[in-house]
Amino acid sequence: MSDVYAARRGTLRDRCAAAGNAAALITRPANVRYLSGASPLGAVLLVGPTEDVMFCVNAPTGEVDEGRLDEHLKVSLLTSTGGDPAVAAGDLAAAVRADSLAVEEHHLTVARHRALRSVAPKLRLSDLGNAVEQQRLVKDEEEIACLRIAAEIADQALGELLESILVGRTERHLALELERRLVDHGADGPAFPTSVGTGPHSGRARHRPSDRRVEEGDFLTVCLGAGYRGYRCEIGRTFVIGTTPADWQIQLYDLVFAAQRAGRQALVPGAAYRDVDRAARSILDSAGHGEALAPWTGHGVGLEIDEDPQLAPTAMGKLDACVPVTVEPGVHLPGRGGVRIDDTLVVRPEADGGPELLTITTKELLAL
Amino acid sequence: MSDVYAARRGTLRDRCAAAGNAAALITRPANVRYLSGASPLGAVLLVGPTEDVMFCVNAPTGEVDEGRLDEHLKVSLLTSTGGDPAVAAGDLAAAVRADSLAVEEHHLTVARHRALRSVAPKLRLSDLGNAVEQQRLVKDEEEIACLRIAAEIADQALGELLESILVGRTERHLALELERRLVDHGADGPAFPTSVGTGPHSGRARHRPSDRRVEEGDFLTVCLGAGYRGYRCEIGRTFVIGTTPADWQIQLYDLVFAAQRAGRQALVPGAAYRDVDRAARSILDSAGHGEALAPWTGHGVGLEIDEDPQLAPTAMGKLDACVPVTVEPGVHLPGRGGVRIDDTLVVRPEADGGPELLTITTKELLAL
């Protein structure tokens, strides 16, 4: 795996050199991990003209959550306790050995930027922008394998929950139980805070679980994800509690299902992000739900649960093969509840069978 | 409660005015919450010369994790999806209605700072520094009451765990069970990732739970905390598994206990931060463990689990009454394990009975 990280840093080095920068300072944790295998708390990565150095507050321990560091990478322990940006900046500036340094302006704080400028006034600082994020967009098969395992774990946790009694239990308890099951099945941890919404809370995006209990006749929306070796997937399903769904529930479910299917089918290499969004959105829009929709119907996943691309009406760009994304339209009717259906898929050419569905739990409307 | 938030903003407004700034932009989430009662994801707070405005990506929902927003505060929904700092900066700049704005340079990113400068070139930007963090240092009785409840919850969760069978269970399972119990007892959630270390992992600060199972003869170190209405406490204890502790275990435990007691006893109003640290540290140092100690032996708690003051050899400043801090010395012997003992206390004058211990679980060496 070390070769992978060295190769990724090599690509970044070439991009920097082409833009006239001899070195780059990577501070965003997911970017640090992508380029080095690990992101210990507070660690930053210097990609230099000849040598790369990770600056750590503590020695990296190689644990699950922070990843396993590329063993060929040089590590430098910061002597400061991390509180004083000027101290760390001094250590960094001494190691740059170049006259120009690109920094992640969308992540670096003004105070740290100022400290760097002050300890190294001759160093020309420029903006690296989203260079590493762009590099992370298309995944290699090893990354996709991690996502596939993460999705399997989430499917298992969800499947087990469905076999248990749900009526009378609170959203918070169901969410905690799901998170315990994720870890039982080998996840690093939840990929994001598990969302469980019942009755009037169902169908809401990123609903924080409350103390409301599951009741007969409720819609129940569950959205969860597992992290596996740093890679994060997402699955969301809506169920109905009790014997028979009401007519409005069946109609709303069928509508969201149709929108989600249209979104999935639009996932082909070369499709514009906004066209994938439109495929799903237009179906909900035509049915009169356009106003209340979330500003996106899907997004990329990887080392972060919400990364590029964004599948949204104003998004610019086109899908490539091997880009994993969610497709997750939903409708929420205030006071009544709603439906969300959310899958993680990998964009694949039609010759390879089209989009690869990672989250395989059924999307039939189950009455539990 | 609304009056409390308005009064806090008033204090900040006065400090800003004294420094020649008509307005302040608060971006650090804990600071936003302190001044407004809530910190919805992505929200920022503008404290203006006459009017304060919270800028939100979505309407605040008043849920547990994000707090309950001061109902008198004006809320402005950002039209952007949050991805483009320039759009949000435009909305903000239009609302400032002043010629100078203090920003939190230790939190604000270079990109957002640049966007603000570019949409409002005449606005003079300066550094607010840690003004709000300093304001948060001394807690009022309502804040301390929340910390007291958080500590009670953590004590309960820990107490229940001690009654169960521990041998054979993994660190990760014990940590998850503790977190479930925290929520069962009414916590918003864990105050920080629960740490469980067994055998050679015991005694390590912030150890991430692994798949190692508890064995007879192990030291077991548990460190957990609850969040309650946003306020976070911390407790850490070390136990021995099995019938009788070994001699080295008893000696090490007694040593860390003595250091922790010395730290607690040093908590008086007016004591220098570094003297509290030294009280605990010197005992471990004299016993030959100085080299391997963490750079701090305690820290403030509140809306964040790790806030000012830092109890460390180079820390500047003195304790005030009503400042809650942890006292948490520990010794870890590589390959063998170690001991940590961690309490949350509130500094109180001697006339009021001295430091108030919030985490009351026994500190005897229990053999489980």
Side-chain angles (χ1 to χ4, degrees):
Chain A
M1 271 303 283
S2 290
D3 295 349
V4 171
Y5 303 120
R8 290 173 182 170
R9 294 196 299 271
T11 304
L12 179 66
R13 201 184 331 270
D14 293 347
R15 284 186 71 150
C16 279
N21 289 303
L25 178 66
I26 310 301
T27 49
R28 185 172 179 156
N31 291 347
V32 171
R33 182 160 188 172
Y34 179 76
L35 295 170
S36 72
S39 54
L41 194 66
V44 302
L45 179 68
L46 180 67
V47 176
T50 53
E51 192 185 47
D52 304 330
V53 187
M54 174 176 276
F55 291 89
C56 292
V57 179
N58 299 303
T61 58
E63 282 164 14
V64 167
D65 285 20
E66 61 184 34
R68 196 170 295 277
L69 189 69
D70 173 357
E71 59 202 11
H72 301 303
L73 190 65
K74 182 175 167 187
V75 172
S76 172
L77 289 185
L78 290 174
T79 46
S80 89
T81 56
D84 182 359
V87 178
D91 289 359
L92 272 169
V96 170
R97 295 196 187 91
D99 59 355
S100 56
L101 179 69
V103 300
E104 299 191 289
E105 290 193 350
H106 59 298
H107 184 269
L108 194 70
T109 65
V110 177
R112 286 184 181 270
H113 194 260
R114 205 181 287 289
L116 264 175
R117 271 209 310 227
S118 125
V119 296
K122 287 183 183 160
L123 188 64
R124 190 169 49 78
L125 297 181
S126 62
D127 186 12
L128 183 63
N130 289 306
V132 186
E133 284 85 349
Q134 288 304 310
Q135 224 178 307
R136 285 166 48 199
L137 206 58
V138 173
K139 271 71 176 175
D140 65 30
E141 287 304 323
E142 195 134 2
E143 296 180 279
I144 292 173
C146 290
L147 284 168
R148 206 178 281 127
I149 295 171
E152 268 176 39
I153 293 171
D155 275 322
Q156 282 174 316
L158 182 57
E160 288 172 2
L161 187 81
L162 300 187
E163 288 168 14
S164 63
I165 303 289
L166 300 172
V167 172
R169 296 169 72 191
T170 69
E171 293 172 0
R172 297 223 286 174
H173 274 97
L174 294 176
L176 278 166
E177 172 155 345
L178 283 165
E179 294 189 354
R180 186 178 61 75
R181 290 184 186 277
L182 290 174
V183 175
D184 278 351
H185 288 294
D188 310 337
F192 55 91
T194 299
S195 174
V196 175
T198 63
H201 300 156
S202 59
R204 279 174 61 182
R206 295 173 193 179
H207 170 70
R208 291 296 188 105
S210 75
D211 289 324
R212 189 183 184 283
R213 291 176 193 277
V214 178
E215 294 175 12
E216 287 281 332
D218 276 355
F219 263 143
L220 168 68
T221 301
V222 175
C223 190
L224 76 159
Y228 183 77
R229 297 194 179 167
Y231 284 84
R232 293 156 193 264
C233 73
E234 189 173 321
I235 179 172
R237 294 289 185 268
T238 300
F239 311 101
V240 70
I241 304 297
T243 45
T244 347
D247 285 349
W248 73 272
Q249 289 177 317
I250 295 174
Q251 280 162 22
L252 191 61
Y253 193 92
D254 288 348
L255 180 73
V256 175
F257 178 82
Q260 204 256 358
R261 184 177 52 198
R264 281 187 279 122
Q265 288 172 345
L267 292 178
V268 292
Y273 301 152
R274 58 175 62 177
D275 289 343
V276 178
D277 175 74
R278 183 161 49 224
R281 184 178 299 272
S282 61
I283 290 176
L284 303 177
D285 216 353
S286 316
H289 300 294
E291 287 294 300
L293 298 184
W296 33 261
T297 54
H299 55 80
V301 296
L303 287 169
E304 291 173 289
I305 190 58
D306 193 351
E307 56 180 53
D308 291 334
Q310 197 171 51
L311 304 180
T314 57
M316 301 290 285
K318 291 181 176 179
L319 286 176
D320 277 312
C322 300
V323 173
V325 294
T326 68
V327 177
E328 48 171 317
V331 170
H332 175 256
L333 308 176
R336 299 177 77 187
V339 176
R340 291 188 73 77
I341 304 174
D342 183 353
D343 280 313
T344 302
L345 306 97
V346 181
V347 178
R348 302 281 194 187
E350 211 171 331
D352 294 351
E356 178 186 354
L357 182 68
L358 300 187
T359 44
I360 60 170
T361 299
T362 180
K363 287 185 282 283
E364 282 173 274
L365 175 54
L366 297 184
L368 304 174
Chain B
M1 274 303 281
S2 290
D3 294 350
V4 172
Y5 303 119
R8 291 173 182 171
R9 295 195 301 270
T11 304
L12 179 65
R13 200 185 330 272
D14 293 347
R15 284 187 71 151
C16 280
N21 289 303
L25 179 66
I26 310 302
T27 48
R28 186 171 178 158
N31 291 346
V32 171
R33 184 161 185 171
Y34 179 76
L35 296 170
S36 73
S39 54
L41 193 65
V44 302
L45 179 67
L46 180 68
V47 176
T50 52
E51 191 186 48
D52 305 330
V53 188
M54 174 175 274
F55 292 88
C56 292
V57 180
N58 299 304
T61 59
E63 281 163 18
V64 167
D65 286 17
E66 63 183 35
R68 195 170 296 277
L69 190 69
D70 174 357
E71 57 201 11
H72 301 304
L73 190 65
K74 183 175 166 186
V75 171
S76 171
L77 289 184
L78 290 174
T79 45
S80 89
T81 55
D84 182 359
V87 177
D91 288 359
L92 272 170
V96 171
R97 294 200 189 88
D99 58 356
S100 57
L101 179 68
V103 300
E104 300 190 288
E105 290 192 351
H106 58 298
H107 184 269
L108 194 70
T109 66
V110 177
R112 286 183 182 271
H113 194 260
R114 207 181 284 290
L116 265 175
R117 271 209 311 228
S118 122
V119 297
K122 287 182 184 161
L123 189 64
R124 190 168 49 78
L125 296 181
S126 62
D127 186 12
L128 183 63
N130 289 307
V132 185
E133 284 85 350
Q134 288 304 311
Q135 223 178 307
R136 285 166 46 198
L137 206 57
V138 173
K139 271 69 176 177
D140 65 31
E141 288 302 324
E142 193 134 5
E143 295 180 281
I144 293 173
C146 290
L147 284 168
R148 207 178 280 126
I149 295 172
E152 269 177 38
I153 293 171
D155 276 320
Q156 283 175 317
L158 182 57
E160 288 172 2
L161 187 81
L162 299 187
E163 290 168 14
S164 64
I165 302 289
L166 298 173
V167 172
R169 296 169 74 192
T170 69
E171 293 172 359
R172 297 222 286 172
H173 274 97
L174 293 177
L176 278 166
E177 171 154 346
L178 282 165
E179 296 190 352
R180 185 178 61 76
R181 289 184 187 279
L182 290 174
V183 175
D184 277 352
H185 287 293
D188 309 338
F192 55 90
T194 298
S195 174
V196 176
T198 63
H201 300 156
S202 59
R204 280 174 59 183
R206 295 173 195 179
H207 169 71
R208 291 299 188 101
S210 75
D211 288 325
R212 189 181 183 284
R213 290 175 194 277
V214 178
E215 293 175 13
E216 286 283 332
D218 276 355
F219 263 143
L220 168 68
T221 301
V222 175
C223 190
L224 77 159
Y228 183 76
R229 296 194 181 166
Y231 284 84
R232 292 154 195 264
C233 74
E234 190 173 320
I235 179 172
R237 292 290 184 267
T238 298
F239 311 101
V240 70
I241 303 297
T243 46
T244 347
D247 285 348
W248 73 272
Q249 289 178 318
I250 295 173
Q251 280 161 22
L252 191 60
Y253 194 90
D254 287 348
L255 179 73
V256 175
F257 178 83
Q260 205 256 358
R261 184 178 50 200
R264 280 187 280 123
Q265 288 171 346
L267 293 178
V268 292
Y273 301 152
R274 58 174 62 174
D275 290 342
V276 178
D277 175 74
R278 183 161 49 223
R281 183 178 299 274
S282 61
I283 291 177
L284 304 177
D285 217 352
S286 317
H289 299 295
E291 287 294 299
L293 298 184
W296 32 261
T297 54
H299 55 80
V301 297
L303 287 169
E304 290 172 287
I305 190 58
D306 194 353
E307 56 181 53
D308 292 332
Q310 197 169 51
L311 305 180
T314 58
M316 301 289 285
K318 291 181 177 182
L319 286 176
D320 278 312
C322 301
V323 173
V325 294
T326 67
V327 177
E328 47 172 318
V331 170
H332 175 257
L333 308 176
R336 299 178 76 188
V339 176
R340 292 188 74 75
I341 305 175
D342 183 354
D343 279 314
T344 302
L345 306 98
V346 181
V347 178
R348 303 281 193 187
E350 212 173 328
D352 294 352
E356 178 186 351
L357 182 67
L358 300 188
T359 44
I360 59 169
T361 298
T362 181
K363 286 186 281 282
E364 285 173 274
L365 176 54
L366 297 183
L368 302 175

